[in-house]
Amino acid sequence: MKAICVRAFGGPEVLELCDVPVPQAGPGQVIVRLMAAGVNPVETYIRSGAYAKLPALPWTPGSDGAGVVENAGAGVKPRLQPGHRVWVAGSLSGTYAERAVCDAGSVFALPEHVTFAQGAALAIPCSTAWRALMQRGAAKAVETVLVHGATGGVGGAAVQFAKAAGLRVLATGGSAAGREMLARLGADVIFDHSVPGYEDAIRAATDGKGADVILEMLANVNLARDLTLLGRGGRVVVVGSRGSIEVNPRELMLRDADVRGVMLGNTPALELAECHAAIARHLADGSLRPIIGRSFPLAEAAEAHRAVMAPGHAGKIILHIAEVSDRGAAFF
Ligand code: NAP
């Protein structure tokens, strides 16, 4: 079967399409024939060799995907049998591939009305969004959340979860297409984070009171400014950061405010199960509909990695894997 192989850490060009043996399912495992795989920034950090925890080489990237169960190993419950549509939150072999071997506990039913492309946009982005907003951010209905960087995988999910929970949602995007997407998702007020002084408009949109929760996608650029945009008792949840920044701690004192980090990989099992249950619930009631910004064939994984690190997001970036004849109308 075809899979992306990384034989040496480096730039996007190290993502090569190669032939690898078809994996076999052990006890408690399933083989998923993938139709789509999610492309997340973390896979670019690992690919470059700059990430704290690196896999052994050769490595097939990817932990998110969607497809159909091809076969199930001994002891796998009937809910995961050949032909069932599923989404995947973690894989033992990597999802940038035609098939992936997964622990059965990481594989979930994909409702008929959710496309495979959307299914590949669920695991890391939506779990992170739920954990940041609800578990670390402790957001409540009627509060105001600022999703600072809302046009990508995590931000788009956070906007949808926050709207469904009854929050007022302020959201930022750096491109016209991204901001149009935020309007479609129902964000209440939308800002352009590439315009100097945009924080004044955010402050005005809260009548000077500040936001209760800020989900921050680029803390090394925005954290100092975030502290001035918080209301009393406000919480900044740092989701993404690509460097260091100087902040004025007095801004926290003045507001009895908190800065909280989130790292999905640290999530205790019970809380991760809550994230997955929230995804299933919001898919079922229609309040979570991942928007696909761009899709690349598996062979163009290098282009997908360039795109996920470039500005101008308007939804999630995925790889489409199956042949066109397999995809049909339900793909996108
Ligand atoms: P993504 O799909 O690549 O989206 C990146 C987002 O960052 C886009 O909305 C982009 O907006 C926004 N952005 C760019 N410049 C910005 C600025 N100056 N201010 C505010 N936002 C800005 O990535 P993602 O999957 O949503 O992940 C977002 C970040 O969270 C990444 O850094 C990722 O590594 C991190 N992350 C962390 C965890 C965790 O466990 N902590 C989990 C998942 C992701 P425009 O393109 O519109 O400018």
Side-chain angles (χ1 to χ4, degrees):
M1 69 167 196
K2 300 286 183 200
I4 294 294
C5 301
V6 172
R7 295 190 173 85
F9 298 115
E13 67 284 352
V14 303
L15 297 166
E16 289 173 27
L17 191 68
C18 56
D19 288 299
V20 299
V22 172
Q24 303 299 312
Q29 298 174 346
V30 294
I31 302 297
V32 177
R33 193 163 70 86
L34 292 160
M35 305 289 171
V39 177
N40 293 291
V42 67
E43 290 129 31
T44 74
Y45 313 151
I46 298 172
R47 185 218 67 227
S48 73
Y51 203 61
K53 235 166 63 183
L54 292 175
L57 299 176
W59 169 63
T60 295
S63 59
D64 297 0
V68 292
V69 174
E70 191 163 78
N71 59 68
V76 174
K77 296 204 175 94
R79 70 173 181 89
L80 293 176
Q81 291 304 317
H84 286 181
R85 300 173 89 249
V86 291
W87 61 279
V88 166
S91 154
L92 302 167
S93 57
T95 57
Y96 290 20
E98 289 178 327
R99 290 173 182 80
V101 57
C102 305
D103 279 327
S106 312
V107 179
F108 305 93
L110 185 69
E112 286 297 330
H113 65 275
V114 183
T115 67
F116 290 118
Q118 290 174 319
L122 296 174
I124 288 182
C126 298
S127 302
T128 303
W130 185 265
R131 179 151 179 76
L133 181 70
M134 297 300 183
Q135 296 178 343
R136 301 290 292 138
K140 312 229 167 9
V142 313
E143 285 193 321
T144 296
V145 62
L146 168 64
V147 184
H148 210 164
T151 54
V154 178
V159 169
Q160 295 180 62
F161 286 144
K163 285 303 297 177
L167 282 102
R168 179 162 185 255
V169 178
L170 315 182
T172 78
S175 69
R179 291 190 296 277
E180 276 164 30
M181 181 199 90
L182 295 176
R184 287 203 306 279
L185 293 181
D188 294 288
V189 197
I190 298 163
F191 308 89
D192 180 350
H193 55 228
S194 69
V195 170
Y198 72 100
E199 58 268 35
D200 296 335
I202 295 177
R203 209 170 286 113
T206 67
D207 294 329
K209 292 194 193 92
D212 300 294
V213 179
I214 299 179
L215 303 187
E216 181 49 64
M217 302 304 150
L218 199 57
N220 55 302
V221 172
N222 293 325
L223 188 58
R225 170 187 295 137
D226 287 341
L227 301 190
T228 71
L229 291 173
L230 277 180
R232 182 146 324 156
R235 296 84 73 194
V236 178
V237 184
V238 176
V239 178
S241 187
R242 295 178 179 166
S244 58
I245 183 172
E246 187 176 313
V247 302
N248 181 355
R250 277 199 79 75
E251 302 290 354
L252 290 170
M253 292 164 60
L254 288 171
R255 297 169 171 81
D256 284 359
D258 292 345
V259 178
R260 303 173 181 180
V262 62
M263 181 61 81
L264 187 63
N266 294 339
T267 309
L270 192 62
E271 290 168 51
L272 189 61
E274 282 173 13
C275 295
H276 295 154
I279 293 170
R281 197 167 64 244
H282 286 270
L283 286 177
D285 73 11
S287 55
L288 177 63
R289 283 286 174 280
I291 305 282
I292 307 306
R294 297 183 71 184
S295 166
F296 297 84
L298 182 61
E300 292 174 23
E303 273 314 302
H305 270 211
R306 290 185 187 101
V308 81
M309 295 304 281
H313 290 77
K316 175 74 191 170
I317 292 173
I318 62 145
L319 298 171
H320 55 258
I321 296 173
E323 295 303 314
V324 172
S325 59
D326 287 329
R327 288 197 264 139
F331 186 77
F332 285 101

